[in-house]
Amino acid sequence: MASVSCPVCEAGVEVPDDALEGELFECSSCGAHLEFYLEAGKPRLKLAEEVSEDWGE
Amino acid sequence: MDVADVLLELLRVYSPSGSESNLEPVMRRLRQELGYDELTIDSAGNYLFSRGSGDRVILLAGHVDTIPGEIEAVRRGDVIRGRGAVDAKGPFAAMLFAGSKARIGQGYKLVVGGLVDEEGEGSGAKELLESGFKADHIVIGEPTGTTGVAISYRGSLTFTIYATARGGHSSAPYMGESALERLLDAINTLRSIFNGRSYDEPTSAVTMISAGDWPTKLPERAEAVVNVRFPPSVETRSVIERIETVCSLYNCSFSIRDVTEPFETSLSQPVPRALIRAILKTGKRPRVVKKTGSSDMNVLWKLTRSIAACGPGNSLLAHTNEEEVSVDDLRTACSVYIGAVEELQSMGRRAT
């Protein structure tokens, strides 16, 4: 488990070792939805696409 | 038999809410052909298919009732049409097919639920809750375009508002008193309060109205049904308080017909994570979505917060006469459900 910095509030977000690129996580500190990616082999998080609205029940 | 055959079998039986028992012969045949260990039908009429006998339960919960209005079930090339193809026999067919293929390890039990009355009062999900059914993880089968993972549903409050007045002659309305006009004033005020244009704002819709019994008589009684939808950030109590204030202002009364609490889960929960990983493994990009309506998720989260909705089909076609789903979408959904069920078991093993 790696602790990766939240790009919004800089709190540490726990990312499991088996995380897939494109996987989405939630920062437990600020609630931001974050997308996991690798940069030069290092785990990183960026702000995920905004949550979309879907009609229906 | 593939997932398209399963869906066509389900669509050929017309099963609006209240008539789900029409599906029993098909369900019994599907249990046998897909190789489920058991099919039980509970007191509400829910169809519960199961594999495995472990203590940890993964529930794939779809619904098998539809809104009324039959549409002939047909397959044209890659597209399957029929009432419920989108909402929600398509997702349920994919769950049933996927559930028969997923690896179920020791200690786990997979239940695929074809719940009843989701389009009505939700009595199928309520019965599951009240019967003491236990589940560690729940995937709800609702259309999200397969790559959408719904983590949030709005709440719903439906009420009837009543107005009474002494009436009068329509030739001199300024001398009389119309219950209908009082009701319309109250409704207009309610609409100005619950006037949202997006998921995050409370919305309202007047769905039924009745008043008057003579063309030249001011109505003495009037009533209307109003449905308010609200996000998890708004408390049900505050919605009711605002309705009370408006009714008191216009000397109207109201009675609540149905309340469904809003619900939102977290991406950190195992089911959203398992679905997102399973979608990525099909080579597609997952989307997190929030639903403006409500579903069995608004009830079943009381069993576990490890819950999310995902399924094939374009939700804009739900409840229309154009309900159709592509076989390609159904097959992708099967891969997602199989992947998610297996991910959940792997996560459980890693956690112990």
Side-chain angles (χ1 to χ4, degrees):
Chain A
M1 189 84 82
S3 179
V4 183
S5 174
C6 170
V8 179
C9 72
E10 297 183 352
V13 179
E14 297 292 311
V15 175
D17 296 335
D18 63 350
L20 301 170
E21 281 202 79
E23 201 170 329
L24 303 170
F25 293 94
E26 188 172 309
C27 174
S28 58
S29 179
C30 70
H33 287 177
L34 306 168
E35 183 179 330
F36 174 75
Y37 69 104
L38 290 169
E39 190 178 63
K42 292 205 184 313
R44 294 277 186 267
L45 291 169
K46 62 181 178 185
L47 201 55
E49 239 173 60
E50 211 172 316
V51 175
S52 55
E53 195 173 294
D54 195 11
W55 184 86
E57 2 209 43
Chain B
M1 167 171 261
D2 78 357
V3 63
D5 301 319
V6 175
L7 178 56
L8 279 165
E9 288 239 22
L10 294 167
L11 292 177
R12 283 186 190 119
V13 180
Y14 181 53
S15 58
S17 307
S19 304
E20 298 91 334
S21 59
N22 295 345
L23 286 160
E24 188 175 335
V26 170
M27 295 299 203
R28 294 205 179 278
R29 198 164 59 245
L30 288 172
R31 184 206 75 80
Q32 209 156 24
E33 289 194 26
L34 295 173
Y36 278 87
D37 297 340
E38 276 184 60
L39 165 61
T40 56
I41 302 172
D42 70 12
S43 60
N46 293 319
Y47 298 95
L48 302 171
F49 297 77
S50 61
R51 289 179 57 213
S53 55
D55 293 336
R56 280 174 286 182
V57 176
I58 299 170
L59 170 65
L60 304 181
H63 68 89
V64 294
D65 62 314
T66 67
I67 61 154
E70 200 163 0
I71 303 174
E72 189 192 357
V74 285
R75 177 175 180 169
R76 288 199 188 97
D78 185 49
V79 173
I80 295 176
R81 274 178 69 99
R83 173 59 70 210
V86 172
D87 190 6
K89 289 182 176 176
F92 175 70
M95 285 182 151
L96 196 57
F97 190 76
S100 72
K101 307 290 177 204
R103 282 190 297 273
I104 309 300
Q106 210 172 6
Y108 280 90
K109 179 177 183 177
L110 175 71
V111 178
V112 181
L115 306 189
V116 299
D117 195 37
E118 195 271 352
E119 303 291 1
E121 305 289 319
S123 63
K126 286 172 189 162
E127 168 59 25
L128 208 57
L129 198 65
E130 284 159 15
S131 69
F133 182 88
K134 300 267 185 266
D136 298 275
H137 307 288
I138 302 176
V139 179
I140 301 286
E142 284 283 343
T144 61
T146 308
T147 55
V149 177
I151 59 167
S152 171
Y153 276 86
R154 294 207 297 179
S156 171
L157 189 147
T158 308
F159 63 97
T160 306
I161 177 166
Y162 308 91
T164 55
R166 61 188 164 79
H169 199 292
S170 65
S171 63
Y174 46 85
M175 300 285 286
E177 191 185 36
S178 163
L180 177 57
E181 291 191 13
R182 179 179 295 167
L183 184 81
L184 291 175
D185 288 344
I187 285 174
N188 280 335
T189 303
L190 285 166
R191 291 179 68 208
S192 70
I193 294 171
F194 304 115
N195 65 348
R197 305 282 302 169
S198 70
Y199 174 92
D200 289 313
E201 301 161 333
T203 58
S204 59
V206 182
T207 53
M208 295 163 75
I209 192 160
S210 71
D213 54 11
W214 194 253
T216 55
K217 182 179 161 195
L218 300 181
E220 291 161 3
R221 285 187 187 76
E223 64 180 68
V225 176
V226 183
N227 178 230
V228 176
R229 301 291 177 123
F230 50 102
S233 57
V234 174
E235 285 185 27
T236 308
R237 188 168 42 83
S238 80
V239 173
I240 295 172
E241 281 169 4
R242 279 182 272 181
I243 296 167
E244 276 169 351
T245 304
V246 172
C247 284
S248 153
L249 189 65
Y250 291 97
N251 201 16
C252 295
S253 59
F254 73 101
S255 64
I256 293 172
R257 296 166 66 110
D258 183 59
V259 182
T260 303
E261 300 287 340
F263 174 70
E264 182 163 12
T265 190
S266 158
L267 285 184
S268 311
Q269 290 289 339
V271 164
R273 180 161 191 241
L275 286 167
I276 286 167
R277 286 173 65 83
I279 292 165
L280 282 168
K281 287 181 178 176
T282 66
K284 298 189 186 295
R285 191 178 166 81
R287 296 171 298 118
V288 176
V289 299
K290 42 194 185 181
K291 290 278 204 176
T292 58
S294 56
S295 78
D296 282 340
M297 187 156 130
N298 296 67
V299 174
L300 294 178
W301 69 268
K302 287 171 186 158
L303 294 175
T304 171
R305 295 185 79 85
S306 176
I307 187 169
C310 179
N314 176 353
S315 57
L316 289 173
L317 300 180
H319 295 201
T320 73
N321 288 333
E322 311 299 324
E323 280 199 71
E324 61 180 36
V325 65
S326 80
V327 175
D328 192 44
D329 207 5
L330 287 170
R331 288 185 181 140
T332 304
C334 289
S335 301
V336 170
Y337 292 142
I338 292 170
V341 166
E342 294 178 357
E343 283 282 347
L344 287 167
Q345 295 173 78
S346 304
M347 286 179 199
R349 278 193 289 275
R350 281 197 295 273
T352 52

